[in-house]
Amino acid sequence: MAKKIMVVDDDPQIVSYLVTLLGDNGFETCSASDGDAAMDVLERERPDCITLDLEMPHEWGPRFYRKFSQKEEYKNIPVVVISGLTGHDMAIRKAVAAIHKPFEPEAVLTAVKKACGE
């Protein structure tokens, strides 16, 4: 069964690109455009991994991470941070990877596969 990856980013072009990239490489996907919407998608879709932008309107990535990681049923979902912010690798210390935008597709695939235990 394919692993499901949730893409959380406020840039629709990046969401579209990542959903296509991941889908073309055998993953199921779901997405959200900010941290507010992401909680609803998380509860509905129950992804195996999350790619997370940090700087978004309404709800920043780190705040969304704190909210969902405090819930027992979600606290072990691995997170791959994908951000253009400087120092992004320190924003979510438990992230399995931190990738800087603009990113190489192979870096994202490698990080997601590792996060999913592949």
Side-chain angles (χ1 to χ4, degrees):
M1 188 166 145
K3 299 284 187 176
K4 185 180 288 184
I5 313 304
M6 183 167 91
V7 176
V8 183
D9 198 300
D10 63 318
D11 184 330
Q13 291 179 322
I14 290 178
V15 170
S16 177
Y17 182 81
L18 288 172
V19 164
T20 300
L21 174 69
L22 295 165
D24 287 351
N25 284 276
F27 294 99
E28 289 184 35
T29 60
C30 55
S31 64
S33 60
D34 65 41
D36 280 343
M39 190 58 81
D40 292 335
V41 175
L42 175 69
E43 291 171 351
R44 185 177 63 249
E45 298 287 338
R46 306 225 178 230
D48 298 295
C49 178
I50 299 170
T51 67
L52 183 61
D53 187 16
L54 298 178
E55 190 175 25
M56 297 178 287
H58 308 296
E59 179 92 88
W60 276 45
R63 186 175 297 162
F64 165 66
Y65 174 80
R66 277 193 303 278
K67 281 183 178 179
F68 88 77
S69 65
Q70 292 174 0
K71 297 183 180 220
E72 188 64 32
E73 64 268 36
Y74 306 128
K75 71 178 187 179
N76 293 320
I77 297 175
V79 173
V80 175
V81 171
I82 302 177
S83 178
L85 289 178
T86 311
H88 68 278
D89 55 327
M90 301 305 287
I92 298 177
R93 295 189 186 271
K94 291 187 177 182
V96 296
I99 299 170
H100 197 273
K101 291 178 183 174
F103 54 83
E104 292 294 326
E106 199 56 45
V108 173
L109 287 173
T110 299
V112 168
K113 287 177 182 177
K114 180 181 176 185
C116 290
E118 295 182 13

